[in-house]
């Protein structure tokens, strides 16, 4: 057993049946703050601590990929002050967690329109991605200025350019090729999608990739989400019967 297996077994999980990829829609920061009569930014700040917990717990348990929906294409419509606070928090996170990511063999990856982010954020992201590019313990995928529809449009444009250039025949386009032209090309599809704050929505997140993901929605607001609940959700996942459209074999 390696140390991740020990952690998982101690938590009551079967290390062999952990989801390889967990994706999380981190929702409820604003409501968490409102309940306490605080500014929304305080909710995001507390939410950033939960991000640290989720990354650490995933790595310790042996989850191979964690994708966090940190900023959607729609989030650009929020007030300038909130966007700016989120970017500042992201920079703070990257600065404070870089060494921990490197020490723990975590590779940072970004999915989304990275070019739309402020230069000070992109340079920190690029620096951390480059420093961690050979890490193999876990991939932390941050979805930033991410929208699944825009990702799909980008893929369609790439494939149609190849068709127009005569280097790709439409008949050769299959599911694998589509997957290979999405931001997530080198990561398996999520086995488990978690959404906090009780909203029953997908919110333009990984629309292609979640075709067969198990979905878990918890009422807990993201800043209150903790390691114990994360483990309980993983246990619930391990109790599910995943048939991928097939029937159960006797
Ligand atoms: C949703 O809550 C959350 C976001 C839009 C941003 C997520 C950001 C963080 C968790 C903190 C910073 C991130 C990193 C990676 C350090 P909401 O504001 O929509 O909440 P509400 O629905 O209750 O208003």
């Amino acid at each position: 057993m390696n140390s991740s297996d020990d952690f998982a077994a101690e938590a009551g999980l079967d290390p062999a049946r952990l989801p390889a990829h967990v994706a999380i829609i981190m929702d409820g920061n604003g409501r968490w703050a409102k309940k306490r009569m605080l500014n929304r930014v305080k909710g995001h700040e507390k939410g950033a601590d939960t991000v640290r917990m989720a990354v650490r717990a995933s790595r310790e348990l042996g989850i191979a990929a964690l994708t966090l929906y940190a900023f959607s294409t729609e989030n650009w419509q929020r007030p300038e002050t909130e966007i700016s606070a989120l970017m500042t928090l992201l920079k703070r996170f990257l600065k404070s967690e870089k060494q921990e990511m490197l020490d723990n063999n975590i590779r940072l990856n970004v999915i989304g329109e990275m070019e739309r982010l402020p230069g000070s954020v992109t340079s920190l992201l690029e620096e951390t991605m480059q420093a961690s590019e050979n890490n193999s313990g876990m991939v932390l995928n941050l979805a930033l200025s991410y929208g699944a529809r825009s990702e799909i449009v980008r893929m369609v444009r790439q494939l149609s350019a190849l068709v127009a250039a005569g280097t790709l025949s439409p008949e050769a386009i299959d599911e694998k090729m589509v997957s290979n032209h999405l931001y997530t090309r080198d990561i398996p599809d999520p086995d488990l999608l978690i959404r906090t704050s009780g909203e029953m929505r997908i919110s333009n997140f990984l629309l292609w990739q979640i075709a067969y993901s198990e979905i878990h929605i918890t009422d807990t607001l993201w800043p209150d989400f903790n390691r114990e609940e994360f483990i309980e959700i993983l246990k619930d996942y391990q109790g599910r019967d995943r048939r991928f459209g097939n029937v159960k074999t006797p």
Side-chain angles (χ1 to χ4, degrees), residues 33-240:
K34 196 172 173 202
K35 267 173 49 179
R36 290 163 179 77
M37 316 263 265
L38 296 169
N39 185 288
R40 294 175 57 79
V41 172
K42 290 284 171 210
H44 294 314
E45 279 174 16
K46 187 77 172 36
D49 292 339
T50 313
V51 169
R52 290 184 183 87
M53 175 286 294
V55 174
R56 198 163 296 164
S58 301
R59 175 67 185 110
E60 282 174 2
L61 293 167
I63 289 165
L66 175 69
T67 299
L68 300 175
Y69 204 3
F71 194 86
S72 71
T73 44
E74 290 73 23
N75 288 156
W76 289 115
Q77 296 162 33
R78 293 197 176 193
E80 181 53 43
T81 47
E82 185 171 342
I83 296 176
S84 155
L86 281 167
M87 295 300 151
T88 301
L89 272 177
L90 183 58
K91 286 193 274 186
R92 204 180 291 163
F93 172 82
L94 291 166
K95 283 183 194 154
S96 70
E97 301 310 292
K98 181 177 171 194
Q99 199 51 49
E100 179 157 344
M101 285 191 240
L102 298 180
D103 292 345
N104 289 297
N105 200 15
I106 297 173
R107 176 165 72 87
L108 179 73
N109 186 45
V110 171
I111 61 170
E113 308 161 331
M114 224 175 102
E115 63 285 353
R116 283 184 76 181
L117 301 170
S120 57
V121 175
T122 358
S123 54
L124 268 173
L125 285 167
E126 269 162 3
E127 185 190 306
T128 314
M129 285 196 288
Q130 211 168 21
S132 66
E133 68 185 347
N134 295 318
N135 288 355
S136 55
M138 180 177 100
V139 53
L140 169 62
N141 238 348
L142 288 184
L144 292 169
S145 189
Y146 175 84
R149 287 185 169 183
S150 124
E151 176 183 39
I152 289 169
V153 168
R154 181 176 167 271
M155 171 275 295
V156 170
R157 284 191 184 145
Q158 286 176 3
L159 294 185
S160 34
L162 295 174
V163 171
T167 52
L168 176 66
S169 97
E171 293 70 36
I173 300 174
D174 58 11
E175 292 185 11
K176 195 163 179 21
M177 190 178 290
V178 168
S179 295
N180 283 340
H181 283 80
L182 298 177
Y183 291 122
T184 45
R185 63 191 157 273
D186 52 354
I187 298 157
D189 288 342
D191 299 295
L192 174 63
L193 171 69
I194 300 171
R195 180 172 189 142
T196 57
S197 95
E199 305 288 353
M200 303 284 178
R201 288 193 284 275
I202 298 299
S203 301
N204 202 13
F205 191 43
L206 303 175
L207 294 180
W208 171 272
Q209 299 89 335
I210 59 165
Y212 278 100
S213 304
E214 293 296 322
I215 299 179
H216 192 115
I217 295 177
T218 168
D219 285 337
T220 305
L221 304 176
W222 179 250
D224 289 328
F225 189 70
N226 61 23
R227 184 185 170 99
E228 289 66 39
E229 183 169 10
F230 192 17
I231 289 169
E232 284 312 309
I233 292 174
L234 294 170
K235 282 186 194 163
D236 174 77
Y237 165 85
Q238 293 198 326
R240 295 202 192 177

Side-chain angles (χ1 to χ4, degrees), residues 2-13:
N2 62 36
S3 59
S4 311
D5 288 355
D6 288 342
F7 267 112
E10 269 167 35
L13 292 160

Side-chain angles (χ1 to χ4, degrees), residues 15-32:
R17 291 174 49 250
L18 277 171
H21 182 179
V22 175
I24 309 184
I25 302 176
M26 310 182 287
D27 195 15
N29 294 349
R31 274 161 286 168
W32 183 92

